[in-house]
Short mmCIF file of all heavy atoms in Angstrom, two decimals:
data_model
loop_
_atom_site.label_atom_id
_atom_site.label_comp_id
_atom_site.label_asym_id
_atom_site.label_seq_id
_atom_site.Cartn_x
_atom_site.Cartn_y
_atom_site.Cartn_z
N CYS V 15 115.61 101.08 145.76
CA CYS V 15 114.73 101.73 144.78
C CYS V 15 115.62 102.45 143.77
O CYS V 15 116.81 102.13 143.65
CB CYS V 15 113.73 102.67 145.46
SG CYS V 15 114.47 104.05 146.35
N LEU V 16 115.08 103.42 143.07
CA LEU V 16 115.87 104.09 142.04
C LEU V 16 116.78 105.17 142.64
O LEU V 16 117.99 105.14 142.47
CB LEU V 16 114.91 104.69 141.01
CG LEU V 16 115.51 105.40 139.81
CD1 LEU V 16 116.43 104.47 139.03
CD2 LEU V 16 114.39 105.91 138.89
N GLY V 17 116.19 106.11 143.37
CA GLY V 17 116.96 107.25 143.85
C GLY V 17 117.46 107.14 145.27
O GLY V 17 118.30 107.92 145.69
N ASN V 18 116.92 106.20 146.05
CA ASN V 18 117.22 106.05 147.49
C ASN V 18 116.89 107.32 148.28
O ASN V 18 117.54 107.63 149.28
CB ASN V 18 118.68 105.63 147.71
CG ASN V 18 119.00 105.13 149.12
OD1 ASN V 18 120.12 105.26 149.60
ND2 ASN V 18 118.04 104.58 149.81
N ILE V 19 115.88 108.05 147.82
CA ILE V 19 115.44 109.22 148.60
C ILE V 19 113.95 109.16 148.94
O ILE V 19 113.47 110.00 149.72
CB ILE V 19 115.76 110.56 147.91
CG1 ILE V 19 115.16 110.62 146.51
CG2 ILE V 19 117.27 110.81 147.92
CD1 ILE V 19 115.21 112.03 145.90
N CYS V 20 113.19 108.24 148.35
CA CYS V 20 111.75 108.15 148.67
C CYS V 20 111.37 106.77 149.21
O CYS V 20 111.15 106.59 150.40
CB CYS V 20 110.89 108.47 147.45
SG CYS V 20 111.10 110.15 146.81
N ARG V 21 111.30 105.77 148.33
CA ARG V 21 110.72 104.48 148.72
C ARG V 21 111.64 103.66 149.63
O ARG V 21 111.19 103.17 150.67
CB ARG V 21 110.37 103.67 147.47
CG ARG V 21 109.23 104.25 146.69
CD ARG V 21 109.12 103.62 145.33
NE ARG V 21 110.24 103.99 144.47
CZ ARG V 21 110.47 103.51 143.26
NH1 ARG V 21 109.65 102.59 142.77
NH2 ARG V 21 111.49 103.92 142.55
N SER V 22 112.90 103.46 149.21
CA SER V 22 113.74 102.54 150.01
C SER V 22 114.11 103.10 151.39
O SER V 22 114.14 102.32 152.35
CB SER V 22 114.96 102.06 149.23
OG SER V 22 115.80 103.12 148.83
N PRO V 23 114.35 104.41 151.54
CA PRO V 23 114.57 104.88 152.91
C PRO V 23 113.32 104.77 153.77
O PRO V 23 113.41 104.51 154.98
CB PRO V 23 115.01 106.35 152.75
CG PRO V 23 114.78 106.71 151.33
CD PRO V 23 114.64 105.46 150.54
N TRP V 52 122.01 109.69 141.33
CA TRP V 52 121.82 111.14 141.25
C TRP V 52 121.77 111.83 142.61
O TRP V 52 122.07 113.00 142.73
CB TRP V 52 120.51 111.48 140.53
CG TRP V 52 120.34 110.80 139.23
CD1 TRP V 52 120.91 111.14 138.05
CD2 TRP V 52 119.55 109.63 138.99
NE1 TRP V 52 120.53 110.25 137.08
CE2 TRP V 52 119.70 109.33 137.62
CE3 TRP V 52 118.74 108.81 139.79
CZ2 TRP V 52 119.07 108.23 137.04
CZ3 TRP V 52 118.11 107.73 139.21
CH2 TRP V 52 118.27 107.45 137.86
N HIS V 53 121.34 111.13 143.63
CA HIS V 53 121.07 111.78 144.93
C HIS V 53 122.03 111.32 146.02
O HIS V 53 121.75 111.53 147.20
CB HIS V 53 119.63 111.53 145.34
CG HIS V 53 118.64 112.08 144.37
ND1 HIS V 53 118.32 113.42 144.31
CD2 HIS V 53 117.94 111.49 143.38
CE1 HIS V 53 117.44 113.62 143.34
NE2 HIS V 53 117.20 112.46 142.75
N MET V 95 111.96 97.71 145.16
CA MET V 95 110.63 98.31 145.32
C MET V 95 109.76 98.07 144.09
O MET V 95 108.54 98.19 144.19
CB MET V 95 110.74 99.81 145.58
CG MET V 95 111.43 100.15 146.88
SD MET V 95 110.60 99.51 148.35
CE MET V 95 111.93 98.61 149.11
N ASN V 99 113.69 97.94 139.11
CA ASN V 99 114.87 97.88 139.97
C ASN V 99 115.29 96.44 140.23
O ASN V 99 116.49 96.15 140.32
CB ASN V 99 114.61 98.65 141.27
CG ASN V 99 114.67 100.15 141.04
OD1 ASN V 99 115.72 100.69 140.74
ND2 ASN V 99 113.53 100.81 141.16
N PRO V 124 104.90 101.95 143.90
CA PRO V 124 105.05 102.95 142.84
C PRO V 124 105.93 104.13 143.26
O PRO V 124 105.87 104.57 144.41
CB PRO V 124 103.61 103.41 142.56
CG PRO V 124 102.73 102.36 143.16
CD PRO V 124 103.50 101.78 144.32
N ASP V 125 106.71 104.62 142.31
CA ASP V 125 107.60 105.75 142.55
C ASP V 125 106.76 107.01 142.79
O ASP V 125 106.00 107.42 141.90
CB ASP V 125 108.47 105.92 141.30
CG ASP V 125 109.47 107.05 141.42
OD1 ASP V 125 109.42 107.79 142.41
OD2 ASP V 125 110.29 107.19 140.50
N PRO V 126 106.86 107.66 143.95
CA PRO V 126 106.02 108.83 144.26
C PRO V 126 106.65 110.15 143.85
O PRO V 126 106.02 111.20 143.99
CB PRO V 126 105.93 108.76 145.79
CG PRO V 126 107.30 108.27 146.19
CD PRO V 126 107.73 107.31 145.09
N TRP V 127 107.88 110.11 143.35
CA TRP V 127 108.71 111.30 143.26
C TRP V 127 108.08 112.42 142.44
O TRP V 127 108.11 113.59 142.81
CB TRP V 127 110.07 110.92 142.68
CG TRP V 127 111.11 111.98 142.77
CD1 TRP V 127 111.59 112.58 143.91
CD2 TRP V 127 111.81 112.57 141.68
NE1 TRP V 127 112.56 113.48 143.59
CE2 TRP V 127 112.71 113.51 142.23
CE3 TRP V 127 111.78 112.38 140.30
CZ2 TRP V 127 113.56 114.26 141.44
CZ3 TRP V 127 112.63 113.13 139.51
CH2 TRP V 127 113.51 114.07 140.10
P1 4NP W 1 112.84 106.69 144.78
O1 4NP W 1 112.20 107.93 143.95
O2 4NP W 1 113.39 105.72 143.75
O3 4NP W 1 111.66 106.12 145.51
O4 4NP W 1 113.90 107.26 145.67
C1 4NP W 1 112.94 108.64 143.02
C2 4NP W 1 113.70 109.72 143.40
C3 4NP W 1 114.41 110.44 142.45
C4 4NP W 1 114.38 110.06 141.14
C5 4NP W 1 113.63 108.97 140.75
C6 4NP W 1 112.91 108.25 141.69
N1 4NP W 1 115.12 110.80 140.17
O5 4NP W 1 114.98 110.50 138.96
O6 4NP W 1 115.89 111.69 140.53
#
Side-chain angles (χ1 to χ4, degrees):
C15 62
L16 182 57
N18 194 209
I19 56 168
C20 297
R21 292 167 292 175
S22 60
W52 310 281
H53 300 282
M95 296 299 125
N99 285 293
D125 182 353
W127 191 60

